[in-house]
């Protein structure tokens, strides 16, 4: 089964509105379970695949109900007073978390001085938790997303004053 065939199967599952599907061929086993936070717009099947794994593989499909587009832009334009601020953008689509665990304080807040390599937040993507680190030194001036909010690739998360 190649990536084109997998994409077609996922499309059919999406169109049928199924919540969970398992199927198996001689060379691959696929389990599809919907994640309510994944939309058709941000669902990405990885690029060219040379061969599929022999072990069971899991993937996710888009939700059955269409998701309404937000009324405000996802990435608000930089205001004139923000011109000297450095944006920290999301390197992936996922869910933004301000802390490393629900019972822990936020990794940074407005006014926090950060250094290169310092963790700013966590983005969960496909059940993997990824620490997003600062690439520059500065002070956190604005946090543009809320804890638990879905974020998109290249969405500005923070503005740092260098």
């Amino acid at each position: 089964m190649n990536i084109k065939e997998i994409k077609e199967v996922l499309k059919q599952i999406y169109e049928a509105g199924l919540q969970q599907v398992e199927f198996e061929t001689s060379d691959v086993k696929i389990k599809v379970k919907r994640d309510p936070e994944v939309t058709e717009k941000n669902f990405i099947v990885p690029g060219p695949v040379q061969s599929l794994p022999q072990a069971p593989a899991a993937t996710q499909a888009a939700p059955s109900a269409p998701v309404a587009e937000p009324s405000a832009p996802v990435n608000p334009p930089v205001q004139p007073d923000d011109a000297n601020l450095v944006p920290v953008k999301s390197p992936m689509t996922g869910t933004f978390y301000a802390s490393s665990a629900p019972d822990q304080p936020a990794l940074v807040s407005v006014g926090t001085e950060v250094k290169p390599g310092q963790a700013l937040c966590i983005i969960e993507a496909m059940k993997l938790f990824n620490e997003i680190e600062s690439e520059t030194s500065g002070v956190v001036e604005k946090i543009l997303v809320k804890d638990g909010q879905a974020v998109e690739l290249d969405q500005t998360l923070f503005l740092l004053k260098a």
Side-chain angles (χ1 to χ4, degrees):
M1 182 171 246
N2 63 36
I3 194 71
K4 186 177 179 182
E5 293 169 324
I6 293 172
K7 284 181 180 181
E8 182 58 34
V9 168
L10 292 174
K11 180 181 173 190
Q12 290 174 3
I13 291 168
Y14 173 77
E15 289 172 354
L18 300 174
Q19 294 300 311
Q20 186 171 344
V21 174
E22 287 185 45
F23 69 93
E24 188 172 348
T25 66
S26 61
D27 61 342
V28 69
K29 179 178 179 181
I30 296 180
K31 253 186 189 177
V32 179
K33 185 174 181 182
R34 291 188 187 276
D35 182 341
E37 293 184 17
V38 176
T39 65
E40 182 178 29
K41 183 177 177 182
N42 69 16
F43 176 70
I44 300 170
V45 174
V49 176
Q50 299 302 322
S51 64
L52 294 174
Q54 296 299 320
T59 186
Q60 294 177 327
S64 58
V67 176
E69 291 295 318
S71 57
V74 172
N75 214 358
V78 176
Q79 302 299 322
D81 62 329
D82 295 345
N84 63 341
L85 300 179
V86 178
V88 176
K89 297 186 177 202
S90 176
M92 65 191 70
T93 297
T95 304
F96 173 90
Y97 293 107
S99 62
S100 57
D103 60 340
Q104 297 294 313
L107 294 168
V108 296
S109 57
V110 172
T112 302
E113 188 172 328
V114 296
K115 295 181 169 96
Q118 182 176 341
L120 300 172
C121 65
I122 307 288
I123 294 186
E124 177 190 2
M126 305 227 14
K127 307 293 183 203
L128 295 174
F129 293 86
N130 304 280
E131 263 190 8
I132 307 306
E133 299 176 348
S134 177
E135 293 180 5
T136 62
S137 293
V139 176
V140 177
E141 286 291 313
K142 292 185 181 181
I143 301 173
L144 302 173
V145 292
K146 293 184 168 99
D147 195 44
Q149 179 180 335
V151 295
E152 295 187 20
L153 176 67
D154 287 332
Q155 179 177 346
T156 302
L157 306 173
F158 301 93
L159 292 175
L160 302 180
K161 186 172 189 174

